Amino acid sequence: MKTFRNPIIPGFYPDPSICRVEDDYYLVTSTFEYFPGVPIFHSKDLVNWKQIGHVLDRPSQLNLDNTPPSKGIYAPTLRHHDGIFYMITTFVVSQEGRRKNFYVTATDPAGPWSDPNWLEDAPGIDPSLFFDDDGTVYYTGNRQPPEGQKHLKHMEIYLQKLDLEEKQLIGEKYSLWDGALKNAHAQEAPHLFKINGWYYLIIAEGGTGFTHSVTVARSKSVLGPYESAKTNPILTHRHLGRDYPIVNIGHADIVQTQNNEWWMVCLGSRPYGGGYRNLGRETFLVPMAWEHDWPVINPGKGIVEEVMNFPNLEEVKWASAPSRDDFDSPNLGLQWNFLRTPRGDFWSLTERPGYLRLRAKEDVITEQHNPSFIGRRQQHTNFSVTTAMEFKPVQDFDSAGIVLLQNNDFQFRMEYVRDQGEHVIRLVKRAYGKEEIIEAIELETEQLFLKVEASGQDYSFYYGLSNDSFKTLASDVSGIILSTDVAGGFVGAYIGMYCSSNGQQSNNKADFDWFEYAGLSKNI
């Protein structure tokens, strides 16, 4: 029996939502404070995915200015109806948590997508759309129950009609369900389906951490009442213990294949090195069946496994993305992201063809702004990153190099700087907002090769004047500060290039000839 390995999309790709159009499958995930927002993937077999774009790839669609870490774009839902793709999501605006819900549309999932249609009086997070047989379009989201919360984070799922002509919610809000579990909290991520005459409401309960779960209710009427499955939660890993290889399973969406199989996508994490989750929340795939008009997840086992039987679909593999980006294209590869919406002409692939040029910005990566940083997700527990950089720090506040980032207060910076007139390559650890220089070595050069190797939670940092003559800057440095378990929040670790003038004005720049990211052997 042919098998596949979970996760199907490794690294920080949480809150997956999926839809099928004939024999093509499309999937989106959350992006929080990163730009472009909402990557969209394409598959023919549910296992092999390739990214085809970002849904929110223009500043007019996504203004992330001053968005705090782990705010921004939450939990998109992807749907297709009458030739149009719909992506609906929540923008969490500020640290105070003000929420704004909107949707965008496209006829081609690779884009372009429309500018946002902002919905008035749409409280809560994790919105979803459902297109009923009679043409009515329904919006589902979560909110505090109108009669008040019975306990902390007690929420309910509600429903309201959406007028696609007016692009606004209309009519009454209907309370549908406040979950299956006694004293459950964080009822969210509702997805509504009509299958064999039943309306099914699949939601997440228990928060996004260890107690995360998937529950289901059904009704013969879209307005309810909804009957909770006696088997709830239909999927969770909290009973398996914190040392299980896959934890915090939840936030699910389902799809039926053209061969009448049912599958569920959900998020989960793979802790390592003492239970730390540097990779963030990833996208997993698990089979689903129906018994007595109720869903059963992975029959006989009820959990998400690392190795599972392949769907009854012809396998279609895509060409693997190259591990090395030589920056020969005039456009950034889809793996690259900015912190918040990029403002100003601080980067270029054309000023010096064959190089990524980053100009020094006053914005620093230790604050909640838009620094001169371009990064990609960590996707392996064991990996190697190498880059070739040309940079000369002219003033004491000029710096450039590699950043390993969880957020502005938890990061490693391997940077080339001028310190009191001396040129220095150094490793800076920032944790809980405080900085420590782990190592600093005087070095005179204008071309520098930088390398990071991770073996689990042991991170080693190297520098050299060529790509075959590396010296150790620091070895076996604990990387647990790059995990959400230490730093908090909802995102995974990023790795990238940056250039900064650290709050001062500067005309300096750093040119990166290439950047290579490769997973190493013995990865989980």
Side-chain angles (χ1 to χ4, degrees):
M1 180 71 72
K2 185 174 180 59
T3 60
F4 71 92
R5 179 170 288 275
N6 268 313
I8 52 171
I9 306 180
F12 161 54
Y13 292 103
D15 308 322
S17 179
I18 192 170
C19 72
R20 176 174 71 90
V21 182
E22 297 180 352
D23 60 354
D24 292 290
Y25 299 87
Y26 300 97
L27 184 148
V28 293
T29 69
S30 298
T31 42
F32 297 90
E33 70 265 35
Y34 285 95
F35 186 99
V38 188
I40 184 163
F41 299 87
H42 176 218
S43 177
K44 287 284 191 177
D45 58 19
L46 291 175
V47 171
N48 297 288
W49 295 87
K50 70 172 179 180
Q51 189 175 348
I52 57 174
H54 288 89
V55 175
L56 307 175
D57 60 1
R58 306 187 302 275
S60 64
Q61 295 172 303
L62 185 58
N63 178 1
L64 292 167
D65 293 353
N66 302 313
T67 297
S70 291
K71 304 299 181 183
I73 296 298
Y74 279 32
T77 295
L78 182 67
R79 295 293 182 256
H80 180 266
H81 182 72
D82 282 349
I84 298 176
F85 289 89
Y86 296 80
M87 190 285 296
I88 187 166
T89 188
T90 302
F91 179 31
V92 180
V93 180
S94 66
Q95 190 64 49
E96 290 71 35
R98 186 164 61 93
R99 290 98 187 260
K100 298 169 63 178
N101 291 298
F102 70 92
Y103 71 93
V104 294
T105 60
T107 54
D108 182 346
W113 290 74
S114 71
D115 279 345
N117 300 297
W118 297 98
L119 299 175
E120 299 175 5
D121 190 23
I125 61 172
D126 300 0
S128 184
L129 295 180
F130 168 65
F131 297 83
D132 209 347
D133 298 336
D134 63 1
T136 306
V137 185
Y138 292 101
Y139 170 106
T140 57
N142 80 342
R143 65 176 180 175
Q144 293 186 11
E147 65 274 14
Q149 292 180 309
K150 297 178 182 178
H151 51 268
L152 185 64
K153 297 184 180 179
H154 174 211
M155 306 294 286
E156 72 164 18
I157 306 304
Y158 75 97
L159 174 143
Q160 192 172 7
K161 290 181 181 179
L162 174 66
D163 187 326
L164 292 181
E165 293 294 325
E166 297 296 326
K167 300 178 181 178
Q168 287 298 325
L169 300 178
I170 58 172
E172 184 178 349
K173 289 180 171 62
Y174 294 92
S175 298
L176 297 188
W177 193 40
D178 68 349
L181 309 177
K182 184 178 179 180
N183 295 327
H185 66 281
Q187 295 90 337
E188 58 193 22
H191 293 310
L192 188 61
F193 308 90
K194 189 175 185 181
I195 302 164
N196 294 331
W198 288 96
Y199 292 91
Y200 291 92
L201 186 59
I202 294 177
I203 74 168
E205 293 187 49
T208 60
F210 177 71
T211 56
H212 211 17
S213 67
V214 180
T215 60
V216 64
R218 72 181 184 185
S219 174
K220 281 294 186 178
S221 168
V222 69
L223 300 181
Y226 280 82
E227 169 197 6
S228 176
K230 294 180 180 179
T231 53
N232 277 323
I234 58 171
L235 181 62
T236 187
H237 277 201
R238 60 191 178 205
H239 61 294
L240 301 176
R242 297 180 184 272
D243 293 332
Y244 196 73
I246 304 171
V247 299
N248 58 262
I249 285 287
H251 199 114
D253 201 1
I254 64 174
V255 68
Q256 183 183 23
T257 73
Q258 61 269 37
N259 295 326
N260 294 317
E261 285 186 334
W262 285 87
W263 290 83
M264 174 180 281
V265 291
C266 59
L267 67 78
S269 296
R270 295 176 293 161
Y272 65 98
Y276 297 99
R277 297 169 295 165
N278 300 38
L279 296 170
R281 299 171 300 155
E282 308 172 279
T283 291
F284 292 77
L285 178 70
V286 62
M288 187 179 98
W290 294 91
E291 292 183 2
H292 302 290
D293 292 318
W294 287 109
V296 178
I297 310 304
N298 194 10
K301 297 181 179 179
I303 60 173
V304 179
E305 299 174 275
E306 293 177 279
V307 179
M308 308 200 74
N309 290 334
F310 206 90
N312 180 26
L313 295 168
E314 181 181 353
E315 183 172 18
V316 178
K317 293 184 176 181
W318 311 109
S320 299
S323 60
R324 174 164 156 160
D325 192 336
D326 286 302
F327 302 121
D328 291 330
S329 169
N331 301 306
L332 276 176
L334 294 175
Q335 73 272 31
W336 297 110
N337 292 119
F338 301 94
L339 266 171
R340 304 173 186 87
T341 306
R343 303 298 185 186
D345 298 325
F346 66 87
W347 67 280
S348 174
L349 288 164
T350 57
E351 286 184 11
R352 186 182 179 187
Y355 289 79
L356 169 64
R357 172 163 290 177
L358 291 181
R359 295 191 176 278
K361 289 186 73 175
E362 294 181 35
D363 290 350
V364 293
I365 205 163
T366 57
E367 296 179 355
Q368 298 172 14
H369 297 308
N370 169 231
S372 183
F373 167 85
I374 294 178
R376 53 153 298 150
R377 293 161 174 85
Q378 177 184 338
Q379 293 184 281
H380 303 82
T381 59
N382 304 320
F383 67 88
S384 174
V385 161
T386 314
T387 190
M389 178 181 75
E390 293 182 19
F391 174 69
K392 183 177 181 179
V394 178
Q395 304 167 91
D396 279 355
F397 45 76
D398 290 338
S399 65
I402 289 180
V403 178
L404 285 76
L405 181 74
Q406 174 57 225
N407 59 44
N408 57 287
D409 278 337
F410 292 85
Q411 60 189 244
F412 291 104
R413 302 194 309 273
M414 183 165 54
E415 56 187 10
Y416 192 44
V417 301
R418 197 178 81 162
D419 183 10
Q420 298 180 359
E422 301 293 337
H423 290 156
V424 173
I425 176 71
R426 69 186 185 187
L427 177 63
V428 180
K429 173 185 175 181
R430 183 177 177 86
Y432 305 100
K434 297 180 180 180
E435 297 202 349
E436 170 192 358
I437 297 176
I438 294 178
E439 186 60 83
I441 296 175
E442 291 185 12
L443 182 69
E444 287 288 342
T445 183
E446 292 188 15
Q447 184 180 46
L448 189 58
F449 293 79
L450 304 172
K451 186 173 186 176
V452 182
E453 287 189 348
S455 177
Q457 293 293 354
D458 294 328
Y459 288 66
S460 296
F461 301 82
Y462 307 93
Y463 68 97
L465 301 183
S466 69
N467 198 28
D468 55 6
S469 63
F470 283 100
K471 297 180 179 179
T472 300
L473 181 61
S475 60
D476 296 335
V477 178
S478 173
I480 65 173
I481 67 166
L482 301 176
S483 73
T484 56
D485 308 273
V486 173
F490 302 123
V491 304
Y494 263 71
I495 308 160
M497 303 152 283
Y498 89 108
C499 182
S500 180
S501 58
N502 291 294
Q504 305 296 318
Q505 290 188 348
S506 174
N507 293 320
N508 212 341
K509 59 186 179 297
D511 289 339
F512 294 87
D513 190 4
W514 48 266
F515 186 101
E516 184 173 41
Y517 172 96
L520 302 179
S521 60
K522 297 181 180 180
N523 274 294
I524 62 171

